[in-house]
Amino acid sequence: MKILDIPQSGRRGLYVSQGGRYGQISRIFAVPANPRTAPQMGVRRTFGAVAARWRTLTEEQRSAWRAAAQAKNTVPRLGQSGPMTGSQLFAKINCTLGLLGLDQADAPPSFPEFPDNPVGALVITNVGGVATLKLACPATPGDNTMLRASAPCSQGLAYCEDYRILGVVPAPAQGSCDITSLYKARYGNPVAGTKVFVRVNQNVNGWEDVPVETWAIVPAST
């Protein structure tokens, strides 16, 4: 529930505090579900392999990651942010590379200049109860442009924070990228009246740019 208190985040005893869109939230601690899905276990294996590989680097290599990490701050939390550690930057870069099936980096890559992301609005059609999801895309997106999406949800929602990785955005055809197969492989066919949120970001050498977010409501069947 929402409470009036000083900004705080984390668990204390049986309660968990966190910031919400509309203020401070406090709730009873609950052990999160652990379905052990194939995508979930794949991410865990990647993270475990990357964490183990940090220990195989030379001290000179680890020092280079520590120096590079001083130039990039963490995502702000409670209005505070600071530089990452070398191992955190190493994990951030190499977990992303691992999820994309790319070679791991032993040296920290410099932060790139990202091109404009050409991916635009999500458009959903529904013919005979079968939905088709396409992203407007007048130009070919960069290699390894990552697609994340939400499960079908209430169309009354205005914002989504629960995204799952679906894969790499496919090449466009006739001005749009068809993401139907990627979406249905994870969530199945979305029914009429539900809303789908999509988030797309570009990846260059393990660095991710600010994502493009879009959504659409599944129309009635025609």
Side-chain angles (χ1 to χ4, degrees), residues 24 31-32 40 60 64 87 104 125 168 178 209 217:
Q24 187 72 38
V31 178
Q40 183 187 58
E60 289 76 16
S87 60
Q104 298 283 284
T125 57
V168 175
D178 192 332
D209 67 351
I217 296 173

Side-chain angles (χ1 to χ4, degrees), residues 3-89:
I3 60 172
L4 294 176
D5 205 338
I6 61 173
Q8 51 190 293
S9 177
R11 179 183 174 189
R12 182 170 62 185
L14 298 177
Y15 294 89
V16 175
S17 297
Q18 65 187 77
R21 292 191 71 201
Y22 305 107
Q24 187 72 38
I25 297 172
S26 180
R27 60 177 175 81
I28 297 292
F29 171 74
V31 178
N34 185 21
R36 297 179 181 273
T37 62
Q40 183 187 58
M41 299 307 293
V43 170
R44 290 179 179 177
R45 285 192 295 271
T46 298
F47 181 79
V50 169
R53 208 169 69 82
W54 170 255
R55 297 189 291 272
T56 69
L57 300 181
T58 66
E59 188 58 28
E60 289 76 16
Q61 289 173 320
R62 286 190 288 266
S63 294
W65 283 96
R66 294 179 184 120
Q70 294 299 307
K72 299 301 295 183
N73 283 3
T74 59
V75 174
R77 186 177 185 184
L78 298 180
Q80 298 180 344
S81 178
M84 289 184 284
T85 66
S87 60
Q88 287 172 334
L89 179 59

Side-chain angles (χ1 to χ4, degrees), residues 108-186:
S110 59
F111 191 77
E113 289 290 336
F114 286 98
D116 292 337
N117 193 332
V119 175
L122 173 65
V123 177
I124 303 178
T125 57
N126 185 4
V127 179
V130 179
T132 299
L133 298 85
K134 294 184 178 182
L135 289 167
C137 196
T140 302
D143 293 339
N144 305 312
T145 298
M146 184 70 75
L147 171 68
R148 294 174 171 87
S150 72
C153 55
S154 169
Q155 63 176 275
L157 294 178
Y159 184 77
C160 177
E161 294 182 339
D162 189 9
Y163 291 89
R164 296 290 183 270
I165 295 174
L166 302 188
V168 175
V169 175
Q174 298 180 338
S176 64
C177 299
D178 192 332
I179 62 170
T180 305
S181 59
L182 289 172
Y183 189 85
K184 291 185 177 181
R186 183 62 185 264

Side-chain angles (χ1 to χ4, degrees), residues 192-206:
T194 57
K195 180 182 282 189
V196 173
F197 290 87
V198 169
R199 176 180 287 176
V200 179
N201 66 273
Q202 301 176 104
N203 288 273
V204 177
N205 297 330

